[in-house]
Amino acid sequence: MRRTKSMVRVRRQRPAGGAWAAAFLCVMLVVYGVTLSVKEEKRHVQANAPKTVHTLALDGLEMHLVQLGAFSDRSAARVAAAREVSRGAAGYVMDGSVYRVIAAGYASREAAETVCMRLAAEEKMDACVYSLSSGACEGNITATQEQFDALIAAEKTIRLAENTLAETADLLDRGDILPRQAQNILAVLESDLSGAHSRLASAYSGEKSEIASGFLQLLRTLCESCGRLSNEMGLTNLYFSSQIRYSYIQTGIEHIRFLKSWSSI
């Protein structure tokens, strides 16, 4: 007679749903409590960190703009600027005593003058160079070492991002990179800018500082611009380079104005 093997099923007794929920809630409360404790401890350390007087010395920042025209009426300037965007120009309108239509911006005057001469020779365009400079900036600030280091890192990150934007626009114009590759570069920039912003915001948490606020605003503007451009779809090389140039010019002008206002205090 054949003996059949009987299968024995072992069922694990699991806690009821309510018990699982209670256990999960307890764990989350513990984690939340530890997180709060760490944050409070960090705030306590920051609040009690010694502050000393530091000398913040920053190199002068220059931007040489290729100007395609100047108008007394802003609407007229915007119409003229819009016409140049499809050709790869930034199409930036700079406010002032007149409204200047800006095609591009460069760190060196020589590069801007070269573009102006090429536009005159090849396209019969009347372009000129309009230069901006902050001059060297130096001032004393009272801050902790963490705050001072975060300020230095923020300013370096902003300058590096601005230079990278200008270089990326030129690479697109020459066809050396594709829009997708440019977007990868911008995504890396966004991450670096976000990190610098978080570090500076954390160092000055709960404190007011004019220079920290200025750098935080510049970091935020650049970060948002890089994030937006890195996610746009269906962009041609020329149009994409124009948008990158626009961002570079916008932030560069704001950066120079901020440094000039800070150094004059």
Side-chain angles (χ1 to χ4, degrees):
M1 193 169 173
R2 206 176 212 180
R3 219 180 255 187
T4 58
K5 293 183 180 179
S6 59
M7 299 289 291
V8 179
R9 295 176 181 262
V10 178
R11 295 185 63 186
R12 296 180 183 177
Q13 291 189 349
R14 297 182 179 179
W20 273 101
F24 179 76
L25 181 59
C26 288
V27 171
M28 292 306 296
L29 286 172
V30 170
V31 172
Y32 182 67
V34 170
T35 303
L36 283 179
S37 176
V38 171
K39 287 183 177 179
E40 287 300 324
E41 184 177 350
K42 186 176 181 180
R43 285 197 198 100
H44 178 74
V45 170
Q46 288 177 335
N48 291 280
K51 291 190 175 186
T52 56
V53 177
H54 301 265
T55 299
L56 182 62
L58 303 172
D59 292 336
L61 183 64
E62 293 184 1
M63 179 175 279
H64 304 278
L65 305 169
V66 175
Q67 178 181 306
L68 299 181
F71 300 80
S72 58
D73 179 66
R74 195 173 198 279
S75 297
R78 293 184 66 179
V79 170
R83 284 199 297 263
E84 304 300 329
V85 171
S86 62
R87 293 147 52 95
Y92 183 88
V93 176
M94 182 179 174
D95 294 347
S97 55
V98 293
Y99 299 98
R100 304 176 189 276
V101 175
I102 306 300
Y106 297 91
S108 75
R109 185 176 182 89
E110 182 182 2
E113 288 177 341
T114 299
V115 172
C116 287
M117 288 187 289
R118 181 176 60 78
L119 289 173
E122 297 178 6
E123 302 187 40
K124 309 304 179 187
M125 295 182 70
D126 186 17
C128 65
V129 178
Y130 183 77
S131 298
L132 298 171
S133 175
S134 68
C137 304
E138 184 174 316
N140 293 329
I141 60 170
T142 302
T144 66
Q145 189 62 50
E146 180 188 10
Q147 291 171 336
F148 184 69
D149 291 343
L151 285 170
I152 295 293
E155 220 271 334
K156 285 182 177 178
T157 302
I158 292 167
R159 292 197 186 213
L160 177 61
E162 290 169 346
N163 291 337
T164 303
L165 285 175
E167 291 169 5
T168 303
D170 286 341
L171 288 171
L172 276 169
D173 262 0
R174 296 196 301 267
D176 292 339
I177 60 173
L178 299 172
R180 186 64 255 176
Q181 293 171 304
Q183 288 181 312
N184 291 337
I185 294 171
L186 295 177
V188 173
L189 282 183
E190 180 190 12
S191 178
D192 292 344
L193 291 160
S194 178
H197 184 280
S198 296
R199 178 181 177 183
L200 186 57
S202 176
Y204 276 91
S205 178
E207 293 188 43
K208 290 183 178 181
S209 165
E210 184 175 349
I211 189 167
S213 295
F215 284 149
L216 285 170
Q217 179 59 48
L218 289 169
L219 287 166
R220 189 159 45 245
T221 300
L222 270 170
C223 190
E224 290 173 355
S225 179
C226 288
R228 174 178 54 81
L229 291 172
S230 66
N231 288 298
E232 286 198 20
M233 304 295 289
L235 299 174
T236 63
N237 280 37
L238 283 179
Y239 181 75
F240 198 16
S241 67
S242 79
Q243 297 306 294
I244 295 174
R245 282 201 173 89
Y246 189 100
S247 179
Y248 166 64
I249 293 168
Q250 179 186 44
T251 310
I253 291 173
E254 290 176 4
H255 194 175
I256 288 172
R257 285 174 175 170
F258 171 70
L259 291 179
K260 289 179 72 173
S261 67
W262 175 72
S263 62
S264 65
I265 296 175

